Amino acid sequence: MTGFASTAAARPLAVLAALSLLLLIAATPRPVLAQGERGTAPQSAAPDAATADDEFTRQLNELKKTFSDLSKKFDDSAKNIDRLNNAEAARKEIEELRAQVGELLGAVADNGIVWGLGAKALARAEQKLKSLEAETRYKPEDRQFLIERWRELKNATEGAIRELEGARKEFADLLRKLQTSEDFIDELLQIREHQRALDVIHQLTDGIRDASDKLKKLLGTIKTPGA
Amino acid sequence: MRVLAAAVVPAALALAALALTSCNLDSGAGYVEIKAIPPSASVPLYLDQAKLEPLRNGNAVLRQKVGTVKLMTDVDGHMSLLCNVEVKKNRITSVTVSIMTRQPRCQCGRPNPAETGLNRTCIG
């Protein structure tokens, strides 16, 4: 059982170590946040600026906070799995991790909330650029200033969306690895169950053999009447 | 008779309430990853009648309710089943849609070994 558990735990541990690294990288502040802060200037220039950009930035910030919270959880899980001495507990730990990774993947999935906000923010930046290019009310230099700010925002939003795409791919890969590890543990558990069943059959066989020997001895003691 | 009714009715109501609650329980969600080959190919795809947005870079990951969904395409105005996709809680099921010929084909990342034939089911 010890070797069993160590084999079972080795794989998820490797996955978790890789994951912790990945999440630490993901949790590092990136230009997306900086761009979000810069986004206040054009907002003051255009007071009716949609909340889509703000909401997108807020959701991204929350997501990154979740990354760092989760990073700790993964570290703890890695330590726990290392200490686990049975496959069932390791499987349970992986199942919990799958739930956590699944939640993150859900946010960045194509039909997820963060992804939807990103697409909305990009569409808004594109629409603003288009309308400003046709705008005639402002002085050319003012109009140019607004266009440049929106162009910066559009580039930053595209960059954030690329990051989300990267995160989505990594989470999908990670989820696949976790479920493969869990399936592997399941296979090990099935082997163990089969071994147990085999042991029971062996015990039964021994019992039958023993009974058979006793029966033979008993038969040997029986003498035909009159013999 | 009245005593029996007094005992049975609350029990029946409790059972009905339990059944209704069970119906509303969320059984969770899983993920479907769809890859297109070649990535640049464009083909209308549907998951249980819901049309998907065109795949960005030939790839999409979608959150779906647990259960089996049908991945379909539209060929000459007719809906055509590519494959079934089994969605399990917090698991990802990968499907590759090959668009090398006029009729797209579905390749499961992990096919159901118990099934044969065209209407295959991809499992996670």
Side-chain angles (χ1 to χ4, degrees):
Chain A
M1 181 62 212
T2 317
F4 208 45
S6 62
T7 320
R11 284 179 177 223
L13 196 61
V15 170
L16 290 170
L19 176 67
S20 304
L21 190 65
L22 182 154
L23 287 174
L24 279 173
I25 294 165
T28 314
R30 302 263 175 95
V32 182
L33 299 180
Q35 291 294 348
E37 285 155 14
R38 273 211 302 263
T40 48
Q43 254 188 354
S44 58
D48 65 332
T51 53
D53 309 338
D54 299 338
E55 184 61 11
F56 179 47
T57 311
R58 193 181 65 79
Q59 290 278 352
L60 263 180
N61 284 335
E62 276 183 19
L63 191 68
K64 290 195 172 189
K65 187 183 174 303
T66 316
F67 286 173
S68 48
D69 290 349
L70 202 60
S71 172
K72 192 185 171 307
K73 157 85 184 155
F74 285 134
D75 284 343
D76 294 345
S77 293
K79 281 174 199 154
N80 285 345
I81 288 178
D82 214 13
R83 281 197 297 265
L84 294 174
N85 57 3
N86 68 72
E88 285 97 339
R91 187 173 64 169
K92 179 107 184 54
E93 194 77 24
I94 291 182
E95 202 179 307
E96 281 170 20
L97 283 175
R98 272 200 299 110
Q100 303 271 352
V101 176
E103 207 173 302
L104 288 173
L105 184 58
V108 294
D110 283 67
N111 52 355
I113 185 163
V114 181
W115 184 264
L117 285 169
K120 211 184 268 182
L122 184 62
R124 169 153 182 85
E126 281 167 350
Q127 186 261 323
K128 278 302 290 184
L129 272 172
K130 209 173 163 185
S131 67
L132 281 170
E133 271 156 17
E135 184 62 75
T136 54
R137 288 178 298 160
Y138 307 129
K139 283 190 267 177
E141 58 270 29
D142 289 349
R143 191 174 71 109
Q144 195 52 39
F145 173 80
L146 292 175
I147 287 174
E148 274 166 23
R149 295 295 81 76
W150 273 107
R151 209 166 273 156
E152 279 173 15
L153 274 180
K154 181 176 172 270
N155 290 340
T157 311
E158 282 169 342
I161 286 175
R162 272 195 299 276
E163 273 192 66
L164 287 181
E165 274 179 328
R168 189 177 62 185
K169 191 187 173 306
E170 279 160 8
F171 288 138
D173 288 345
L174 185 66
L175 194 56
R176 230 187 322 269
K177 277 179 194 161
L178 284 173
Q179 68 194 39
T180 305
S181 298
E182 197 181 332
D183 291 348
F184 179 71
I185 292 174
D186 267 338
E187 296 284 351
L188 294 179
L189 288 173
Q190 283 177 44
I191 289 173
R192 192 176 68 178
E193 286 307 308
H194 196 93
Q195 187 60 53
R196 274 184 191 162
L198 201 60
D199 289 346
V200 170
I201 293 170
H202 281 152
Q203 281 169 13
L204 279 173
T205 314
D206 290 345
I208 289 168
R209 197 177 296 125
D210 190 40
S212 172
D213 289 345
K214 282 178 181 162
L215 191 63
K216 275 180 198 163
K217 275 183 194 165
L218 182 69
L219 285 173
T221 59
I222 297 172
K223 291 196 171 83
T224 315
Chain B
M1 189 65 185
R2 202 173 284 171
V3 175
L4 185 68
V8 169
V9 170
L13 286 174
L15 269 176
L18 186 69
L20 283 172
T21 318
S22 313
C23 290
N24 291 333
L25 280 179
D26 185 13
S27 54
Y31 299 89
V32 178
E33 183 182 42
I34 303 172
K35 286 180 190 167
I37 294 179
S40 55
S42 172
V43 65
L45 291 173
Y46 299 80
L47 267 182
D48 270 354
Q49 307 290 339
K51 191 173 183 184
L52 306 184
E53 293 284 320
L55 306 185
R56 275 173 66 100
N57 305 321
N59 192 293
V61 175
L62 297 149
R63 186 179 157 94
Q64 291 289 309
K65 272 189 178 173
V66 166
T68 303
V69 287
K70 290 181 190 302
L71 179 63
M72 294 187 282
T73 188
D74 187 348
V75 179
D76 301 330
H78 296 285
M79 295 295 267
S80 164
L81 177 70
L82 293 172
C83 56
N84 295 306
V85 184
E86 195 180 73
V87 183
K88 288 184 188 164
K89 192 176 179 182
N90 295 326
R91 287 180 75 100
I92 187 163
T93 307
S94 301
V95 181
T96 302
V97 178
S98 170
I99 315 165
M100 306 301 249
T101 59
R102 221 169 78 85
Q103 171 64 50
R105 288 181 57 233
C106 175
Q107 295 164 351
C108 297
R110 189 178 162 216
N112 186 346
E115 280 183 345
T116 52
L118 289 173
N119 291 350
R120 73 188 95 185
T121 303
C122 302
I123 57 175

